[in-house]
Amino acid sequence: MASEIMTSPASAGGDTPNKRPLLASLRHVDKVFGTDVVALKDMSLDIHQGDFISLLGPSGCGKSTALRIITGLMQPSRGKMHWEDPEAANNLGVVFQEPTLMPWATVEKNVYLPHKLKGTPKSRVQNDIDEVLELVGLDKFAGAYPRELSGGMKMRVSIARALATRPRLILMDEPFAALDEITRQKLNDDLLHLKSKINCTVIFVTHSVFESVFLSDRIVVMARRPGRVIEEIRVDAPYPRDLEFRTSAEYGEIARRTSDALLSAIGDGDDH
């Protein structure tokens, strides 16, 4: 299928995604589970510094598999994950669908965890912990326990933990899928604000057309299994984005095109 690409994209920094320095890329990646379950087939993706990329596709199309290969938690069966800057490969933040917090630890200690795993004394990074908690609006809840938090607050803790080491790249696997729509929209707003603050790159897995259009400057639509990129849509809307963008004709038109691409993706695959 020929890709329909919306031109003249704008970004927070005023540059277009394809003019930003290349950070990393998936190159002709296959992933096969067992002997015959082909999760990814010949998937290629360039990741530029400062991108906000949404991976959008039907269930089982390999979005999460691609994310795990990028993080290094999984190796491809063929092809490779290439890093232009190898240092960036060791400076990743990951946010999963569930907050995966330690229930016995306070908010502050949950956020400290990545530093603790690296053997960094808490006293040395206390200012960083305080800063990310303030960024996500939880500075007054540093001593609270997960059981005392709402679902949205728990996800904020998970995001703060991912931000704690100031990662170059943050990978998010449907982090807001289980939340109500109001909370989800608020966290979408907050995520864009956080990205602009720390100037990172984001790869975001979602099933939601509307979420992908609001957040992204690049929407990568994947075919159902075997997963691969069949279309890329660049969103021509400047950051910051707000309610005015959500209710604009431009937003509706991009959402329509993205929905059409997703419907094509559902019909463009093999059953295994």
Side-chain angles (χ1 to χ4, degrees):
M1 175 183 295
S3 296
E4 178 180 353
I5 298 179
M6 301 180 64
T7 57
S8 302
S11 68
D15 56 345
T16 57
N18 59 351
K19 290 183 179 178
R20 300 171 187 156
L22 187 65
L23 180 66
S25 57
L26 288 171
R27 295 182 175 174
H28 304 292
V29 165
D30 290 359
K31 182 61 182 179
V32 182
F33 295 101
T35 58
D36 62 351
V37 179
V38 184
L40 296 175
K41 183 177 181 180
D42 197 28
M43 180 166 174
S44 294
L45 176 68
D46 285 340
I47 304 162
H48 299 92
Q49 294 178 27
D51 281 352
F52 196 121
I53 300 171
S54 281
L55 298 182
L56 178 71
S59 296
C61 74
K63 300 184 297 295
S64 296
T65 299
L67 213 66
R68 288 183 173 90
I69 289 173
I70 294 169
T71 63
L73 295 173
M74 189 179 287
Q75 295 301 311
S77 303
R78 185 182 74 89
K80 67 176 182 177
M81 176 66 199
H82 172 75
W83 291 91
E84 287 291 317
D85 180 0
E87 297 264 334
N90 299 315
N91 191 13
L92 305 177
V94 183
V95 181
F96 297 104
Q97 186 169 345
E98 297 295 329
T100 61
L101 303 179
M102 299 180 295
W104 59 86
T106 63
V107 166
E108 181 180 74
K109 289 182 178 177
N110 270 284
V111 174
Y112 168 57
L113 181 61
H115 291 293
K116 183 178 181 179
L117 293 175
K118 292 181 178 181
T120 307
K122 188 166 176 286
S123 57
R124 190 184 302 172
V125 293
Q126 186 64 55
N127 288 341
D128 292 338
I129 294 170
D130 293 343
E131 186 176 355
V132 294
L133 284 176
E134 185 176 359
L135 277 174
V136 300
L138 290 177
D139 46 312
K140 294 181 173 58
F141 293 87
Y145 289 86
R147 64 178 178 272
E148 301 171 305
L149 306 178
S150 68
M153 293 170 76
K154 289 176 184 176
M155 189 52 68
R156 288 175 191 273
V157 178
S158 184
I159 293 170
R161 183 174 59 193
L163 296 176
T165 58
R166 289 296 189 273
R168 297 276 302 282
L169 175 63
I170 298 177
L171 302 110
M172 309 183 79
D173 194 356
E174 296 190 76
F176 309 143
L179 302 175
D180 65 86
E181 191 63 23
I182 293 173
T183 302
R184 186 170 183 159
Q185 287 192 10
K186 179 66 169 68
L187 288 175
N188 283 172
D189 294 338
D190 292 343
L191 178 57
L192 291 185
H193 173 72
L194 292 170
K195 181 184 182 301
S196 69
K197 282 283 188 181
I198 69 170
N199 193 31
C200 63
T201 303
V202 179
I203 301 179
F204 189 93
V205 168
T206 182
H207 283 106
S208 170
V209 167
F210 300 104
E211 186 170 59
S212 69
V213 173
F214 181 75
L215 291 172
S216 314
D217 50 33
R218 295 172 59 198
I219 302 170
V220 173
V221 183
M222 294 178 62
R224 67 188 177 98
R225 199 172 67 211
R228 61 204 181 278
V229 178
I230 63 165
E231 190 160 344
E232 180 176 313
I233 298 170
R234 293 179 182 167
V235 181
D236 184 11
Y239 295 104
R241 297 176 186 167
D242 54 18
L243 181 61
E244 183 177 355
F245 175 59
R246 274 197 179 100
T247 56
S248 68
E250 178 185 17
Y251 177 83
E253 174 61 17
I254 300 169
R256 184 192 65 78
R257 294 190 186 193
T258 305
S259 293
D260 289 347
L262 184 58
L263 286 173
S264 295
I266 292 171
D268 192 355
D270 302 321
D271 288 323
H272 292 272

